Amino acid sequence: VSNRICPTPVSGILVQYKGLAMKYFYLIFSSLKRKKLRTGLTILSIMVAFVLFGYLSAIRQAFDAGVEVAGADRLIVRHKVSIIQLLPQSYEAKIERIDGVDNATHSTWFGGIYQEPRNFFAQMPIVPEELFDMYPELVISDEHKAAWLENRSGVLVGRGLMDRFGWKVGDRIPINATIWGKKDGGRTWEFDLVAVYDGAEKGTDTSQFFIRYDFFDETRANGQGLVGWYTVRISDPDKAAEVAAAIDAEFANSAQETKAEPEGAFIQGFANQIGNIGFIIMSIMSAVFFTILLVAGNTMAYTVRERTNELAVLKAIGFTDRGVLGLVLGESLALTLVGGAFGLGLAWLLVSMGDPTDGSFPVFYLPTSNILLGLLLIVAMAFIAGILPALQAQKLQIADALRR
């Protein structure tokens, strides 16, 4: 019955398409191995470009750490002049009375040194009871949370920071203060590591060191009752600008005026202090890919030029113009796919081995979105590098080509 409806059975059509695919695959493979050294060097160049792409993507992700997971419903309120200027602790109650504000908590920059200056990580005195309500992306067990609340000199550290220095729960961590001296004149603060937190999301910063504010405030030599900045949770993220303006208006013309802004903008401001990282990385990658694109395009142009007679023969025995166009584009795709896939795979492997700066980055990983972007770049590079030689091959006249 199927033969009456369709003269060529479905199984026959599949066999034909399979045979056609194998024919094209053999032709593409044969063309690429014609000049093995040239093909190998081109693939190696493409692979290096995509390894660089993967590493730069991970570095950009590290500099943007916290921006992607920043709460849309959180604002940062700091001193209007500079973040190094402190604010009164009494501002918290006033902020919480403003319409649209659900909760507020404060943090302060400690700025100490562990063992040597290169061992940098964020240390912040905070109110323990308010931390996890404000930051649900920080995950801690009930046991560790209870231990931290019971120990005034205890600290909560991120899993990444603990792994970086090989710490374990129960260790006593000495931090040499660069800003906050102690009432007894000492500069070395000792803390008990009693709790560890993990990140609910992959991009969560687990390199922080949280100190209890009550212990910090009663032990420091000066500055009692002052804090660094406030984190404010608002009820409606769509009204963030209005709430921020209301907070700033509350403290306008006071001795310590404020500047309120979304948490993401605040974090991005820190990254931008050393320059526009995103623009720098994009400029480097653009230059690299443009250069590799010229290399791949030149390879394809030489390939078509060397095989002019062969392409004419293919047309003479029945290959259509579109078939020759597809053949050349297939060669370009195969060339870039091998190099690009190996490059992305190697980049993922190297990034998975860990932060090359030994923990200086708060997070270091290759996002899935960047891997997908890399695959799209492979296809785009194949098309751009191969389209002009492919069009040239498509327009070949059999008689003219055979005379060359």
Side-chain angles (χ1 to χ4, degrees):
V1 175
S2 63
N3 287 343
R4 293 176 184 175
I5 297 174
C6 178
T8 304
V10 174
S11 59
I13 295 175
L14 294 176
V15 170
Q16 289 179 10
Y17 274 107
K18 182 179 179 181
L20 186 64
M22 290 302 296
K23 177 178 69 175
Y24 273 87
F25 176 80
Y26 178 77
L27 289 173
I28 290 172
F29 180 74
S30 299
S31 299
L32 291 179
K33 70 177 185 179
R34 174 193 296 268
K35 298 287 185 180
K36 296 179 181 179
L37 179 60
R38 184 174 64 197
T39 299
L41 292 176
T42 304
I43 290 175
L44 183 61
S45 300
I46 295 172
M47 185 180 72
V48 170
F50 279 92
V51 169
L52 184 61
F53 167 78
Y55 246 101
L56 290 177
S57 296
I59 292 173
R60 182 177 181 179
Q61 189 71 17
F63 276 102
D64 289 342
V67 177
E68 293 184 0
V69 296
D73 60 345
R74 292 197 296 253
L75 302 176
I76 299 296
V77 180
R78 62 173 178 83
H79 197 287
K80 186 176 182 179
V81 176
S82 170
I83 194 172
I84 66 173
Q85 303 291 324
L86 302 179
L87 297 172
Q89 188 181 359
S90 59
Y91 276 18
E92 181 174 346
K94 295 179 181 180
I95 292 173
E96 290 177 338
R97 288 197 295 266
I98 295 174
D99 289 340
V101 173
D102 279 348
N103 193 14
T105 188
H106 58 75
S107 305
T108 306
W109 187 256
F110 188 78
I113 294 174
Y114 175 67
Q115 294 181 335
E116 51 185 312
R118 71 184 183 90
N119 293 335
F120 172 81
F121 54 88
Q123 308 130 24
M124 289 176 289
I126 52 89
V127 179
E129 295 82 359
E130 298 177 346
L131 177 67
F132 301 103
D133 178 59
M134 185 64 68
Y135 298 99
E137 64 267 26
L138 306 184
V139 180
I140 184 175
S141 67
D142 292 338
E143 179 185 358
H144 280 202
K145 186 175 181 180
W148 192 31
L149 293 175
E150 293 172 1
N151 191 326
R152 291 172 64 81
S153 64
V155 291
L156 169 71
V157 305
R159 181 76 60 184
L161 182 63
M162 186 175 72
D163 293 342
R164 175 184 174 186
F165 292 110
W167 295 338
K168 61 183 182 297
V169 174
D171 286 352
R172 194 158 180 82
I173 312 298
I175 302 293
N176 186 35
T178 59
I179 302 174
W180 303 105
K182 300 169 66 176
K183 286 182 178 178
D184 61 9
R187 305 293 296 183
T188 300
W189 295 61
E190 293 190 345
F191 302 99
D192 298 309
L193 200 168
V194 297
V196 182
Y197 74 88
D198 294 286
E201 302 177 39
K202 195 170 184 178
T204 302
D205 185 357
T206 59
S207 67
Q208 301 183 84
F209 187 97
F210 292 112
I211 304 165
R212 288 183 52 152
Y213 179 79
D214 52 1
F215 172 75
F216 165 73
D217 198 44
E218 71 181 20
T219 307
R220 58 178 166 174
N222 51 63
Q224 277 71 21
L226 297 176
V227 300
W229 64 88
Y230 289 92
T231 304
V232 179
R233 188 176 65 241
I234 58 178
S235 55
D236 186 357
D238 293 334
K239 296 182 178 180
E242 299 174 18
V243 177
I247 294 173
D248 291 340
E250 174 70 22
F251 305 107
N253 301 317
S254 66
Q256 291 96 3
E257 294 185 302
T258 63
K259 179 182 178 181
E261 58 186 336
E263 185 181 47
F266 175 78
I267 297 173
Q268 188 65 63
F270 269 105
N272 289 342
Q273 288 181 2
I274 60 174
N276 191 333
I277 300 300
F279 176 77
I280 294 172
I281 290 178
M282 285 300 297
S283 298
I284 295 173
M285 287 195 293
S286 297
V288 170
F289 276 107
F290 179 73
T291 304
I292 300 305
L293 186 62
L294 293 179
V295 172
N298 186 60
T299 299
M300 292 308 304
Y302 267 109
T303 299
V304 171
R305 191 177 300 117
E306 291 173 349
R307 294 164 48 218
T308 300
N309 291 339
E310 295 178 13
L311 292 172
V313 170
L314 290 177
K315 285 190 172 187
I317 62 176
F319 275 74
T320 64
D321 289 344
R322 288 186 179 180
V324 172
L325 177 74
L327 180 63
V328 177
L329 286 177
E331 293 176 18
S332 180
L333 178 61
L335 191 69
T336 55
L337 184 61
V338 172
F342 272 105
L344 283 176
L346 183 58
W348 178 84
L349 180 62
L350 293 174
V351 170
S352 299
M353 293 173 63
D355 179 2
T357 63
D358 194 24
S360 296
F361 290 136
V363 296
F364 191 74
Y365 69 99
L366 183 57
T368 303
S369 59
N370 288 82
I371 296 177
L372 296 176
L373 176 59
L375 295 176
L376 289 177
L377 286 174
I378 290 174
V379 176
M381 179 180 289
F383 179 79
I384 297 173
I387 187 61
L388 290 179
L391 289 174
Q392 181 184 2
Q394 182 188 32
K395 295 176 182 178
L396 280 176
Q397 298 298 320
I398 298 175
D400 294 338
L402 290 175
R403 282 198 296 265
R404 296 181 185 178

